[in-house]
Amino acid sequence: MVEQYQISGGTAADIAASVETGVRSGRFAPGESLPPIRRLAVDLAVSPATVAVAYRSLRQRGVVETAGRHGTRIRHRPPVAVRPSSRLPPGLLDLSSGEPDTALLPPLRNALARVDPAPGGYSGGGPLPRLLEMAAHRLEREHVVGNMTVTGGALDGIDRTLAAHLGAGDAVGVEDPTWPNLRDLVAAHGLHPVPMPVDDDGPTTEGLEGALAAGVGAVIVTSRAQNPTGAVITAQRAVRLRETLMRHREVLVIEDDHWGELATDRLHPVVATTDRWIFLRSVSKPYGPDLRLAVAVGDEATIARLEGRMRIGAGWVSTILQQTVAALMDDPDTNAVIRNASRRYADKQRALIAALADHGVPAHGRSGLNVWIPVADEITVVTTLRDHGYAVTPGTHFRRDSPPAIRITVATLPDDQIERIAGIVASVPASAPRVV
């Protein structure tokens, strides 16, 4: 049990700093509630307004969140460097990571051998023309055409684009459920997330319309392999989303196609329907998480702003990294490895969904690394699986208004354990109602 942490300070800044120290040291646990404003004000002999300002500052930076009747609590993943937590207990199979299987990633030896060893300088920094040309050729076939640049991964591109277009307090439409890192990023920017429900075909039209009616300045959607549901934006859904967006040309549209080279489903982009848009394709899933790079395509102003933000910060993505990715894209052996990985992930995903269906348990996962399983009580199902040797992720990390569920990452799931896991999930009374 986490030791009770005593908040201190006589000013709003000192109080906020004290709370952050508690988070950083691990004395404040994720999800733990902070004292009510009036009670803390009495304890510290300050005005309630001073504590309210401190809490508001922490909320705007994404350290805490308002939990309705439960008051203010520490976010599950605050944007603060926290003392490392313990690893999973020995003997647990980790099906919670959301990461690709390293055994299915392409080797880098040949690509690295093709990297120019000559040292580079500041004048040579920036997007590598060869990489942009190769990416443009592929994306043109999928009807994504615009100005281009390179970012340090999809989340880096989203981060800089939001910073370039929106300010604290602005509203942004976010898929529900969605990737925890994105939820945390939105919170760290002090933006107000407006949930857009997701089904197997992607964000629902009604959800998008609701977000637009709420006055969002941007919407963020996932093309394929939506995390955690595995949703894929279909042709029909894309048409309806585009028609809706065309009536709101002032809204920034950010589309994340992180599955990219691994995808077998055809891309149906929704970008380029408004005046401001950006499409991001990361290489982390097909080529490896350590290759922090994404190709960004967008309207001229958005790409210019994005590059401007990079120029005053990191400057550019390493040209050595860009050369490595270009060499991988140009290598037939690498392409064969990626096709094999794509088949393996799809086979595991389908096998687990089918095994669950045999037990009358519905699940979702058209594409990607995960299977999303609706349940009545997340903690009971997660705990039962842990007791049987499997670590999975409760849906609370991903969702806001959507119903309870758990996420199972299939990337490293052994084929001979799929049926066992499905049976365990089905045996839990708190699992979702059976399909008959």
Side-chain angles (χ1 to χ4, degrees), residues 185-217:
L185 178 64
V186 168
H189 276 282
L191 300 171
H192 172 61
V194 178
M196 301 185 300
V198 175
D199 61 21
D200 289 336
D201 296 342
T204 65
T205 309
E206 295 76 16
L208 174 61
E209 290 172 343
L212 294 170
V216 297

Side-chain angles (χ1 to χ4, degrees), residues 171-174 194-196 204-219 240-253 274:
V172 55
V174 179
V194 178
M196 301 185 300
T204 65
T205 309
E206 295 76 16
L208 174 61
E209 290 172 343
L212 294 170
V216 297
V219 295
R240 296 183 64 187
L241 295 175
R242 290 170 66 89
E243 289 174 347
T244 300
L245 288 167
M246 288 177 69
R247 299 193 294 270
H248 299 267
R249 299 194 63 86
E250 75 286 355
V251 172
L252 168 68
V253 178
T274 62

Side-chain angles (χ1 to χ4, degrees), residues 9-29:
T11 68
D14 289 342
I15 295 169
S18 176
V19 172
E20 185 170 321
T21 297
V23 174
R24 190 169 59 247
S25 65
R27 303 280 294 282
F28 263 135

